Structure formats: structure tokens, C-alpha cells
Amino acid sequence: MKIGIIGLGYVGLVTSAVLADQGHLVVGVDVDSKRVEGLSCGRNPIYEPGLDELLAKNKDRLQFTTDYAKLSDVDVAFISVSTPTVNGEIYLEYVMSASKSLAKVLRKDSLIVMKSTVLPGTSRKVREITGREVVSNPEFLKEGSAIKDSINPDRVVIGSYTKEAGDVVESIWKFTGAPIVRTTPEEAEMIKYAANSFLAMKVSFINEIANLCERIPNCDVNKIAEGIGLDKRISPHFLKAGLGWGGSCFPKDTLAISTFARSLGTPLRTVDASIQVNNERPKRAVTLLKEIMGQLKGRKVCVLGVAFKADTDDTRESVALKVIDILKEEGAQVVAYDPKAKANVTMVSMEQCIDESEGVIIATEWNHFKGIEDKLRGKYVVDGRRLLDPSKMDLTKFRAIGLGTPSIQGE
Ligand code: NAD
Ligand code: UDX
């Protein structure tokens, strides 16, 4: 098939590379000319494991352009532009603008596939605007394992108005071998928000249990997660206590669905509570540091990790950045290190970051920070992602999220 991909960000680029690898001809369109120029010269703008290689391997089947007219002969056009939340509400201008551009160039029988995360009812609007058949096919990939997730998803959700249109999208993803869930477009759109909200709620739940564990001697939240996660009804995933969830999806999607639900008079109280719990997480890291270090004014603190999670260079809604802001408000001098991501703070090597500072907060779950107990000797340390072995740490100068040992409780 000849496939158009509109929006060459994390989702669009990964989808482009994966579908080209399946033998499709892919035309990727983005309004960001610098991004397109770079891609056309083989420069990948994002860090995602395996993506460089997959783009290079399939370069003959991949074309990148800012020109929508190049989509005039595609069979299917995927919309994967960003859908941010602005002032608590979903901002649909990028989707609408892409739709209007598509309406001008696509063949009448071309299919539009909505991959962007959009509220129930949006695909219907795009169908009206474009006069083309639209199928909702939400994306569930995670950054850091995006290619793996895209090739091997837990399920593929296809929401269509007509059986024929749904069948076309099903044929594209058949190679994954994943269970296919056929729905209405509104159900498909809702599934995406319900999935993200549920996962975010799971993490907020275990983070509240972590707060409780910190007040109970000999009670480690990781053991609680292990003990409950083996119950198949609960599952072990998304039970890692830490500084909370960030990234380009959970924060904006939970807010968008919460506002949408309230506007319909049916507030999502569990989602609202999860957001509230999450908003308090960055402060927790600084509170724990102050417990062991005292006042932070004028003192140097190193933040290890600025990406919103491991294996990505993405800092959107990163909890680490919020931790840095709070540290600065407390008057601390902040330096940071991340293996891939950059931030608006003094960034130095990991060794320099630790050596220069009195206090250290581990804010991102990079494997890089495992086994560095020796390097941290003499420092005040908060392990916000549970990467360190407490038995190797000086417990008078150490705090870890959800770890309630007698000595940490000051007994
Ligand atoms: P992104 O911000 O990384 O990329 C979006 C791209 O769209 C940008 O390059 C931007 O220049 C381009 N764009 C904006 N308006 C355009 C237009 N009118 N025409 C052409 N290009 C345009 O976004 P992303 O992280 O890939 O997310 C895309 C969508 O997928 C969002 O709705 C998001 O919620 C959803 N999603 C993201 C992830 C993820 O892990 N990042 C996972 C699942 C779903
Ligand atoms: C998420 C969804 O998982 C994915 O299905 C959707 O398509 C996009 O949004 P992503 O944002 O890439 O993916 O990252 P994810 O691995 O879900 O992590 C989100 C946040 O939760 C990160 O900040 C991570 O640190 C945090 N997290 C995750 C935890 O704190 N504990 C966990 O157990 C899992």
C-alpha cells in the first residue's frame, strides 16, 4: 500500500519506519521543515532504541516532505500530530489543520486513520470536515520501547463506521498477530483514555501505598507491589513506586478526559484523585532530601535524570524538571545529568554532578544509575526511583521512596 503519515513525532516516525519495514511505501508529512530536512538527510530528530537502524534500513521506501500534495495518491493517511492539553482542555487545532490540508489533496476513496489521541467524537468531526471515511486506531506504544510495542502490541483497536474501512486497517496491522478489537470510533477513542487513566491510576495507587510504607518500620513498597502483582487480577505492571508519572501522554490525557467528563456532568473521581496524588510527587523528593540534609538554601544538589522516564530523550512533563524547580525555589544550586535528555539547568557528567554536590536525587529510572552506591559515598541521597541497594547505603544519609526500615524511620 501507499501510506501517508501526518506528523513525524514519536508516534508518526515509529509508525513510518515500522510500516515501511512491512513493505509499504510511506510518505511522511510534517509542518516542521527543519525536521523534514533532517529526516531527508538521514538525521533522526528523536532518540528511540532501534529507530535509527529501522529508518536507515527502509530509506528507499520512506519519503519525508512538508508538501501535502505528495499525499495525492496514498491509499491510507494516518494522522499522528500532537494533541496537547491547554488550560486543562484538549487542543485540537493540529488535528483540524491536518484534516483540512488532507481534505484538499487526498483521493476521494482514500482512508484517514486517526492515530492521535483524541476525545470521543473527534473522528466523527474529521469525517465531516474531510468528506473521507475515517477509522480510529489509537496508539498504545510506550517511548523507549516504541518499535517493539508497535510491532508486538498487546492488542490493536480499530474503530470504524463501515466494516470495509475497518478491514483495510486490520489488514495493515495483521502482521503483528495481536488480538484485534473492532469497535465504533467513539469506543476506540474512549479505550485509549480509559487505558491511560487506568495505568496512571495504578501508579498513583502504589505511590500512595509508598507514602504509607515510609511511615511503617520494615515495610518496603516494592515487596507490597510484588505481593499484589502476582495476583493475576492486578498484574505486576505499572506498580513501580517512584516520583510519579510524567511524559507526553499520562498528564495531558488524564486532564483532558477529566475535563471532558466533568463537562458531561459525570466527573471521573478516581482519575481526579490520581492526578492530585501525582501532583504531590515531585515535592516528596525534596521533602525527603530536607529530612536528611536540613535546609537547602545555598547548597548544591545534583539531580540524576531529567528525562520523564528511562530510555528516552523526552522531557515533556518530566517529574525531574518539577523536582529541579522546587529545589531552586528552596534556594539550592542545582546541577543535573542525563544520559540522553537535555534540560534548562547546568548539565554536567554524572561523576561531576555527584562530586560537586552535597545532595543527590535520583529522578529518572535509567539503568545507568544502578550500582552507583560507591560513587555516592558521603552524599545525602534520595532514591526517587528505587534503583539503589539500601544495604549498601549509609542509612543516616539516605531516603528511598516507599522504603520503611526502622533506621530510616529514626528508630
Ligand atoms: P510529537 O509532538 O512528538 O509529534 C507531532 C508532530 O506533528 C510534530 O513533529 C509536529 O511538527 C507535527 N505537526 C503538528 N501539526 C501538524 C500538521 N498540521 N501537519 C503535519 N504535521 C504536524 O507527538 P507524538 O508524541 O508523536 O504524539 C502524537 C499523537 O500520538 C498525540 O495525539 C499523542 O497523544 C499520541 N500518542 C503519543 C504516544 C507517545 O508515546 N508519544 C503514545 C501513544 C499516543
Ligand atoms: C504511556 C502509555 O504507557 C502508552 O500506552 C501510551 O501509548 C503513551 O503513554 P509513555 O508515556 O511512553 O507511555 O511511558 P510509560 O512507560 O507509560 O510511563 C509513564 C510514566 O509513568 C513515566 O513517567 C514513568 O516513570 C511512570 N511510571 C510507569 C511509574 O512511575 N511507575 C510504573 O510502574 C510505570
Side-chain angles (χ1 to χ4, degrees), residues 140-141 143 192 238-240 245-246 249 308-309 365:
F140 299 97
L141 64 77
E143 290 179 25
K192 176 65 197 172
F238 283 73
L239 283 183
K240 190 88 183 83
W245 32 271
C249 291
F308 86 89
K309 66 171 194 180
E365 59 270 40

Side-chain angles (χ1 to χ4, degrees), residues 11 117 139-145 149 155 192 195-196 199-200 202-203 206-207 236-251 253 278 307-310 312 317-319 363-365 385:
V11 170
T117 302
E139 180 55 65
F140 299 97
L141 64 77
K142 301 180 292 301
E143 290 179 25
S145 55
D149 292 345
R155 79 305 205 181
K192 176 65 197 172
N196 271 359
L199 293 170
K202 254 185 118 174
V203 178
I206 201 70
N207 282 340
H237 307 291
F238 283 73
L239 283 183
K240 190 88 183 83
L243 294 182
W245 32 271
S248 66
C249 291
F250 283 4
D253 293 344
N278 199 55
F308 86 89
K309 66 171 194 180
T312 178
E317 294 289 326
S318 171
V319 181
T364 307
E365 59 270 40
R385 296 292 179 181

Side-chain angles (χ1 to χ4, degrees), residues 224-263:
I224 312 306
E226 185 187 337
I228 64 173
L230 285 168
D231 184 327
K232 289 188 186 64
R233 294 168 301 175
I234 296 174
S235 108
H237 307 291
F238 283 73
L239 283 183
K240 190 88 183 83
L243 294 182
W245 32 271
S248 66
C249 291
F250 283 4
K252 81 169 174 68
D253 293 344
T254 47
L255 260 183
I257 197 68
S258 161
T259 305
F260 177 70
R262 218 171 304 115
S263 78

Side-chain angles (χ1 to χ4, degrees), residues 105-374:
V105 298
L106 284 189
R107 281 191 336 242
K108 285 285 170 215
D109 65 337
S110 294
L111 192 64
I112 294 178
V113 180
M114 183 60 73
K115 262 235 165 286
S116 293
T117 302
V118 290
L119 289 169
T122 311
S123 294
R124 180 179 290 275
K125 276 192 207 135
V126 171
R127 192 179 189 226
E128 281 162 18
I129 291 175
T130 59
R132 308 301 195 281
E133 200 46 58
V134 177
V135 175
S136 168
N137 175 216
E139 180 55 65
F140 299 97
L141 64 77
K142 301 180 292 301
E143 290 179 25
S145 55
I147 291 172
K148 199 171 116 255
D149 292 345
S150 178
I151 294 171
N152 192 19
D154 287 344
R155 79 305 205 181
V156 172
V157 175
I158 298 172
S160 63
Y161 294 102
T162 70
K163 182 180 176 308
E164 296 69 31
D167 287 349
V168 173
V169 180
E170 188 165 336
S171 74
I172 293 174
W173 295 115
K174 201 163 178 259
F175 77 93
T176 63
I180 306 267
V181 184
R182 296 284 292 258
T183 67
T184 66
E186 288 77 8
E187 285 162 350
E189 291 164 331
M190 192 64 215
I191 285 169
K192 176 65 197 172
Y193 283 98
N196 271 359
S197 300
F198 191 83
L199 293 170
M201 189 171 72
K202 254 185 118 174
V203 178
S204 280
F205 174 80
I206 201 70
N207 282 340
E208 281 221 290
I209 298 293
N211 286 346
L212 185 56
C213 286
E214 283 165 27
R215 308 255 73 84
I216 305 170
N218 291 314
C219 197
D220 182 343
V221 73
N222 284 353
K223 272 288 161 206
I224 312 306
E226 185 187 337
I228 64 173
L230 285 168
D231 184 327
K232 289 188 186 64
R233 294 168 301 175
I234 296 174
S235 108
H237 307 291
F238 283 73
L239 283 183
K240 190 88 183 83
L243 294 182
W245 32 271
S248 66
C249 291
F250 283 4
K252 81 169 174 68
D253 293 344
T254 47
L255 260 183
I257 197 68
S258 161
T259 305
F260 177 70
R262 218 171 304 115
S263 78
L264 295 179
T266 52
L268 291 174
R269 288 159 302 178
T270 47
V271 178
D272 289 339
S274 308
I275 296 171
Q276 194 190 333
V277 168
N278 199 55
N279 287 342
E280 291 163 8
R281 295 315 284 163
K283 184 90 199 295
R284 187 87 201 119
V286 181
T287 304
L288 289 178
L289 188 64
K290 281 168 78 177
E291 266 180 41
I292 41 177
M293 202 168 148
Q295 282 313 305
L296 301 178
K297 201 167 174 15
R299 300 170 81 181
K300 211 152 185 185
V301 177
C302 149
V303 174
L304 292 181
V306 297
F308 86 89
K309 66 171 194 180
D311 295 327
T312 178
D313 61 351
D314 196 345
T315 58
R316 288 179 284 183
E317 294 289 326
S318 171
V319 181
L321 299 187
K322 292 174 188 160
V323 170
I324 290 171
D325 285 344
I326 300 171
L327 286 169
K328 284 182 179 167
E329 280 164 24
E330 293 281 339
Q333 292 174 38
V334 188
V335 285
Y337 165 75
D338 191 284
K340 292 284 173 201
K342 306 244 170 323
N344 191 14
V345 61
T346 311
M347 304 282 302
V348 292
S349 73
M350 182 165 84
E351 284 67 25
Q352 196 183 342
C353 193
I354 296 170
D355 288 350
E356 278 184 3
S357 312
E358 276 185 87
V360 178
I361 295 178
I362 298 186
T364 307
E365 59 270 40
W366 282 101
N367 266 336
H368 227 76
F369 307 141
K370 281 189 181 155
I372 60 166
E373 291 84 354
D374 273 351

